[in-house]
Amino acid sequence: MVKNKKMDSQKFDSMSDPKIHHLAQNLVKRHRNLFVYMVFGFIAALINTIVFMVLHKWWHSVVLVSNTIAFIISNLASFVFNQKAVFINNVDEKHSTWQKLLVFFTYRIISLIPDSLIMLVGLSWLHLDALLVKIVDQILVGVFNYLTTRSVFQAQETTMIARAKEKIKARKEKSKK
């Protein structure tokens, strides 16, 4: 019994360990956009799925029509989410909102092709459950959408060499302190 009390007092507390705490802060800081995108991407995917299910299951609309309308509505919401909440650091100030919207929807229209194919194959050919197919579809298309969306809202860095030089310079300055 004494041994158990001793073990309890020696429990590992990650919050009190400054190295772990610093590592966690860096991880969150470095991947903030991804984490926030995942939250708002989930909301956009939920909008897409609900609109699709209402149109397809309840109103018995054709798969491609339901999918396209759900695509438009959820991507308009996604554009607003991304511009106002997700990509707020290193923002592209060179392009207007209309230019960003045009590029955003150009990329998203490219993603509509596999989106529609997944829905058609899953529902029309494989006769799978619509909700299951839509969830799989949103996950697969979501990865592509994150990669392209980053390029729309974030200022583009020059080259890998320039980024590497900046990191080396920052490390040298940090080591001097």
Side-chain angles (χ1 to χ4, degrees), residues 8-30:
D8 286 342
S9 67
Q10 293 179 351
K11 278 186 180 176
F12 180 71
D13 183 11
S14 63
M15 294 312 254
S16 64
D17 185 351
K19 289 181 182 178
I20 299 284
H21 187 71
H22 181 71
L23 182 65
Q25 282 181 323
N26 284 344
L27 183 69
V28 169
K29 184 178 176 183
R30 182 177 220 181

Side-chain angles (χ1 to χ4, degrees), residues 35-51:
F35 297 140
V36 177
Y37 181 86
M38 287 170 52
V39 170
F40 284 102
F42 174 78
I43 294 169
L46 193 61
I47 291 169
N48 188 303
T49 303
I50 291 169
V51 170

Side-chain angles (χ1 to χ4, degrees), residues 77-88 91-92 95-98 100-101 104 149 153:
S78 184
F79 180 81
V80 173
F81 297 156
N82 285 308
Q83 185 163 20
K84 300 294 182 191
V86 178
F87 297 101
I88 57 174
V91 176
D92 176 7
H95 299 94
S96 71
T97 300
W98 289 108
K100 291 177 190 175
L101 184 66
F104 180 82
T149 301
F153 292 100

Side-chain angles (χ1 to χ4, degrees), residues 3-171:
K3 192 176 189 181
N4 286 343
K5 283 185 180 182
K6 188 175 183 180
M7 294 284 286
D8 286 342
S9 67
Q10 293 179 351
K11 278 186 180 176
F12 180 71
D13 183 11
S14 63
M15 294 312 254
S16 64
D17 185 351
K19 289 181 182 178
I20 299 284
H21 187 71
H22 181 71
L23 182 65
Q25 282 181 323
N26 284 344
L27 183 69
V28 169
K29 184 178 176 183
R30 182 177 220 181
H31 299 290
R32 179 222 170 263
N33 288 353
L34 176 61
F35 297 140
V36 177
Y37 181 86
M38 287 170 52
V39 170
F40 284 102
F42 174 78
I43 294 169
L46 193 61
I47 291 169
N48 188 303
T49 303
I50 291 169
V51 170
F52 175 80
M53 295 303 288
V54 166
L55 293 173
H56 183 67
K57 284 289 191 184
W58 293 352
W59 293 357
H60 305 289
S61 179
V62 178
V63 172
L64 287 178
V65 172
S66 301
N67 197 52
T68 303
I69 292 170
F71 165 85
I72 292 168
I73 292 169
S74 66
N75 279 293
L76 283 170
S78 184
F79 180 81
V80 173
F81 297 156
N82 285 308
Q83 185 163 20
K84 300 294 182 191
V86 178
F87 297 101
I88 57 174
N89 299 327
N90 190 29
V91 176
D92 176 7
E93 301 288 345
K94 289 189 254 179
H95 299 94
S96 71
T97 300
W98 289 108
Q99 289 172 314
K100 291 177 190 175
L101 184 66
L102 180 66
V103 174
F104 180 82
F105 266 92
T106 300
Y107 282 135
R108 293 298 171 103
I109 287 171
I110 293 168
S111 76
L112 180 61
I113 296 166
D115 183 341
S116 297
L117 287 172
I118 292 167
M119 295 307 296
L120 274 174
V121 169
L123 298 179
S124 300
W125 296 353
L126 300 176
H127 306 288
L128 298 172
D129 179 66
L131 182 58
L132 173 68
V133 175
K134 193 62 175 169
I135 290 169
V136 170
D137 165 65
Q138 288 300 290
I139 291 169
L140 294 174
V141 172
V143 173
F144 173 79
N145 285 344
Y146 173 71
L147 297 173
T148 58
T149 301
R150 266 182 60 192
S151 70
V152 172
F153 292 100
Q154 288 187 319
Q156 297 301 309
E157 297 172 8
T158 51
T159 65
M160 272 187 7
I161 295 171
R163 287 192 308 260
K165 285 179 181 178
E166 287 176 22
K167 283 184 180 183
I168 292 169
K169 183 179 176 183
R171 285 184 183 161

